[in-house]
Short mmCIF file of all heavy atoms in Angstrom, two decimals:
data_model
loop_
_atom_site.label_atom_id
_atom_site.label_comp_id
_atom_site.label_asym_id
_atom_site.label_seq_id
_atom_site.Cartn_x
_atom_site.Cartn_y
_atom_site.Cartn_z
N VAL A 125 81.66 31.33 -211.76
CA VAL A 125 80.72 30.58 -212.59
C VAL A 125 81.13 29.09 -212.62
O VAL A 125 80.23 28.24 -212.59
CB VAL A 125 80.61 31.19 -213.98
CG1 VAL A 125 79.75 30.25 -214.90
CG2 VAL A 125 79.93 32.50 -213.92
N CYS A 126 82.41 28.88 -212.72
CA CYS A 126 82.85 27.41 -212.68
C CYS A 126 82.58 26.72 -211.36
O CYS A 126 82.43 25.52 -211.35
CB CYS A 126 84.34 27.44 -213.02
SG CYS A 126 84.83 27.95 -214.68
N THR A 127 82.45 27.46 -210.28
CA THR A 127 82.26 26.85 -208.96
C THR A 127 80.75 26.75 -208.66
O THR A 127 80.46 26.19 -207.65
CB THR A 127 82.93 27.73 -207.90
OG1 THR A 127 82.32 29.03 -207.83
CG2 THR A 127 84.43 27.91 -208.18
N VAL A 128 79.87 27.30 -209.49
CA VAL A 128 78.49 27.23 -209.23
C VAL A 128 77.99 25.74 -209.00
O VAL A 128 77.20 25.48 -208.04
CB VAL A 128 77.61 27.94 -210.26
CG1 VAL A 128 76.14 27.63 -210.14
CG2 VAL A 128 77.86 29.41 -210.23
N PRO A 129 78.33 24.80 -209.83
CA PRO A 129 77.87 23.42 -209.63
C PRO A 129 78.27 22.85 -208.26
O PRO A 129 77.63 22.00 -207.76
CB PRO A 129 78.60 22.63 -210.79
CG PRO A 129 78.80 23.66 -211.81
CD PRO A 129 79.14 24.91 -211.05
N PHE A 130 79.39 23.38 -207.66
CA PHE A 130 79.84 22.83 -206.35
C PHE A 130 79.01 23.39 -205.25
O PHE A 130 79.31 22.99 -204.06
CB PHE A 130 81.32 23.25 -206.16
CG PHE A 130 82.23 22.37 -206.98
CD1 PHE A 130 82.41 22.51 -208.33
CD2 PHE A 130 82.97 21.35 -206.28
CE1 PHE A 130 83.30 21.72 -209.03
CE2 PHE A 130 83.83 20.57 -207.01
CZ PHE A 130 84.00 20.73 -208.40
N MET A 131 78.07 24.20 -205.52
CA MET A 131 77.09 24.63 -204.49
C MET A 131 76.08 23.62 -204.20
O MET A 131 75.26 23.77 -203.26
CB MET A 131 76.52 25.99 -204.82
CG MET A 131 77.50 27.09 -205.02
SD MET A 131 76.78 28.65 -205.42
CE MET A 131 78.20 29.72 -205.58
N THR A 132 76.02 22.51 -204.94
CA THR A 132 75.12 21.40 -204.71
C THR A 132 75.90 20.20 -204.35
O THR A 132 77.16 20.14 -204.50
CB THR A 132 74.23 21.13 -205.93
OG1 THR A 132 75.14 20.81 -207.09
CG2 THR A 132 73.43 22.33 -206.36
N SER A 133 75.22 19.20 -203.88
CA SER A 133 75.86 17.97 -203.39
C SER A 133 76.46 17.16 -204.53
O SER A 133 75.95 17.19 -205.70
CB SER A 133 74.86 17.10 -202.67
OG SER A 133 75.34 15.82 -202.41
N ASN A 134 77.56 16.46 -204.32
CA ASN A 134 78.14 15.58 -205.31
C ASN A 134 77.17 14.55 -205.75
O ASN A 134 77.13 14.16 -206.97
CB ASN A 134 79.38 14.93 -204.76
CG ASN A 134 80.58 15.83 -204.82
OD1 ASN A 134 80.48 17.02 -205.05
ND2 ASN A 134 81.77 15.27 -204.56
N ILE A 135 76.39 14.01 -204.81
CA ILE A 135 75.39 13.01 -205.21
C ILE A 135 74.34 13.50 -206.19
O ILE A 135 74.01 12.86 -207.15
CB ILE A 135 74.71 12.45 -203.92
CG1 ILE A 135 75.75 11.87 -202.92
CG2 ILE A 135 73.67 11.37 -204.27
CD1 ILE A 135 76.53 10.71 -203.47
N ILE A 136 73.85 14.74 -205.92
CA ILE A 136 72.88 15.30 -206.79
C ILE A 136 73.46 15.53 -208.17
O ILE A 136 72.79 15.25 -209.24
CB ILE A 136 72.36 16.62 -206.23
CG1 ILE A 136 71.62 16.31 -204.87
CG2 ILE A 136 71.45 17.35 -207.16
CD1 ILE A 136 71.14 17.59 -204.21
N ARG A 137 74.68 16.07 -208.24
CA ARG A 137 75.30 16.32 -209.54
C ARG A 137 75.56 15.00 -210.27
O ARG A 137 75.54 14.96 -211.51
CB ARG A 137 76.62 17.10 -209.41
CG ARG A 137 76.34 18.59 -209.03
CD ARG A 137 77.61 19.39 -208.98
NE ARG A 137 78.38 19.03 -207.79
CZ ARG A 137 79.69 18.79 -207.80
NH1 ARG A 137 80.33 18.83 -208.95
NH2 ARG A 137 80.30 18.54 -206.66
N MET A 138 75.86 13.92 -209.55
CA MET A 138 76.13 12.67 -210.21
C MET A 138 74.90 12.06 -210.68
O MET A 138 74.78 11.61 -211.86
CB MET A 138 76.80 11.74 -209.22
CG MET A 138 76.99 10.31 -209.66
SD MET A 138 77.62 9.28 -208.37
CE MET A 138 76.31 9.36 -207.21
N ILE A 139 73.82 12.09 -209.89
CA ILE A 139 72.56 11.45 -210.24
C ILE A 139 71.91 12.22 -211.43
O ILE A 139 71.09 11.61 -212.20
CB ILE A 139 71.59 11.32 -209.02
CG1 ILE A 139 72.22 10.34 -208.02
CG2 ILE A 139 70.24 10.91 -209.46
CD1 ILE A 139 71.39 10.29 -206.79
N SER A 140 72.21 13.50 -211.56
CA SER A 140 71.60 14.30 -212.63
C SER A 140 72.01 13.80 -213.98
O SER A 140 71.33 14.09 -214.98
CB SER A 140 72.02 15.73 -212.51
OG SER A 140 73.45 15.91 -212.65
N TRP A 141 73.06 12.98 -214.09
CA TRP A 141 73.44 12.40 -215.38
C TRP A 141 72.54 11.26 -215.82
O TRP A 141 72.52 10.95 -217.03
CB TRP A 141 74.86 11.95 -215.32
CG TRP A 141 75.92 12.97 -215.45
CD1 TRP A 141 76.68 13.47 -214.44
CD2 TRP A 141 76.32 13.72 -216.65
NE1 TRP A 141 77.47 14.53 -214.94
CE2 TRP A 141 77.25 14.63 -216.20
CE3 TRP A 141 75.85 13.68 -217.95
CZ2 TRP A 141 77.90 15.51 -217.19
CZ3 TRP A 141 76.44 14.52 -218.82
CH2 TRP A 141 77.45 15.46 -218.46
N ILE A 142 71.81 10.65 -214.90
CA ILE A 142 70.99 9.46 -215.24
C ILE A 142 69.91 9.84 -216.25
O ILE A 142 69.76 9.15 -217.26
CB ILE A 142 70.41 8.91 -213.96
CG1 ILE A 142 71.59 8.29 -213.12
CG2 ILE A 142 69.40 7.76 -214.31
CD1 ILE A 142 71.11 7.66 -211.84
N PRO A 143 69.10 10.90 -216.03
CA PRO A 143 68.07 11.23 -217.08
C PRO A 143 68.69 11.77 -218.36
O PRO A 143 67.97 11.87 -219.40
CB PRO A 143 67.20 12.31 -216.35
CG PRO A 143 68.12 12.87 -215.33
CD PRO A 143 68.94 11.78 -214.84
N VAL A 144 69.94 12.19 -218.33
CA VAL A 144 70.57 12.70 -219.55
C VAL A 144 71.15 11.53 -220.35
O VAL A 144 71.01 11.54 -221.64
CB VAL A 144 71.79 13.64 -219.20
CG1 VAL A 144 72.51 14.08 -220.41
CG2 VAL A 144 71.21 14.87 -218.47
N LEU A 145 71.72 10.52 -219.71
CA LEU A 145 72.35 9.42 -220.44
C LEU A 145 71.53 8.18 -220.54
O LEU A 145 71.93 7.25 -221.22
CB LEU A 145 73.69 9.06 -219.71
CG LEU A 145 74.74 10.13 -219.59
CD1 LEU A 145 75.95 9.66 -218.79
CD2 LEU A 145 75.20 10.69 -220.93
N GLY A 146 70.39 8.14 -219.89
CA GLY A 146 69.50 6.93 -219.92
C GLY A 146 69.02 6.53 -221.22
O GLY A 146 69.15 7.26 -222.26
N ARG A 147 68.47 5.35 -221.33
CA ARG A 147 67.90 4.83 -222.57
C ARG A 147 66.91 5.75 -223.21
O ARG A 147 66.87 5.89 -224.43
CB ARG A 147 67.28 3.43 -222.32
CG ARG A 147 66.73 2.73 -223.56
CD ARG A 147 66.16 1.40 -223.27
NE ARG A 147 65.56 0.81 -224.46
CZ ARG A 147 66.24 0.12 -225.40
NH1 ARG A 147 67.49 -0.03 -225.24
NH2 ARG A 147 65.61 -0.35 -226.45
N ASN A 148 66.05 6.29 -222.38
CA ASN A 148 65.08 7.28 -222.85
C ASN A 148 65.49 8.71 -222.45
O ASN A 148 64.60 9.60 -222.33
CB ASN A 148 63.72 6.94 -222.32
CG ASN A 148 63.24 5.59 -222.74
OD1 ASN A 148 63.35 5.24 -223.88
ND2 ASN A 148 62.63 4.84 -221.82
N GLY A 149 66.80 8.96 -222.30
CA GLY A 149 67.27 10.26 -221.85
C GLY A 149 67.35 11.26 -222.94
O GLY A 149 67.03 11.02 -224.06
N LEU A 150 67.93 12.45 -222.58
CA LEU A 150 68.04 13.56 -223.50
C LEU A 150 69.01 13.24 -224.68
O LEU A 150 68.70 13.57 -225.83
CB LEU A 150 68.49 14.77 -222.75
CG LEU A 150 67.57 15.25 -221.64
CD1 LEU A 150 68.17 16.48 -220.98
CD2 LEU A 150 66.23 15.67 -222.25
#
Side-chain angles (χ1 to χ4, degrees):
V125 169
C126 295
T127 65
V128 168
F130 282 75
M131 297 181 183
T132 59
S133 169
N134 280 10
I135 302 297
I136 295 176
R137 287 186 287 134
M138 175 186 61
I139 294 178
S140 65
W141 282 105
I142 295 179
V144 175
L145 302 176
R147 180 178 177 84
N148 299 317
L150 297 178

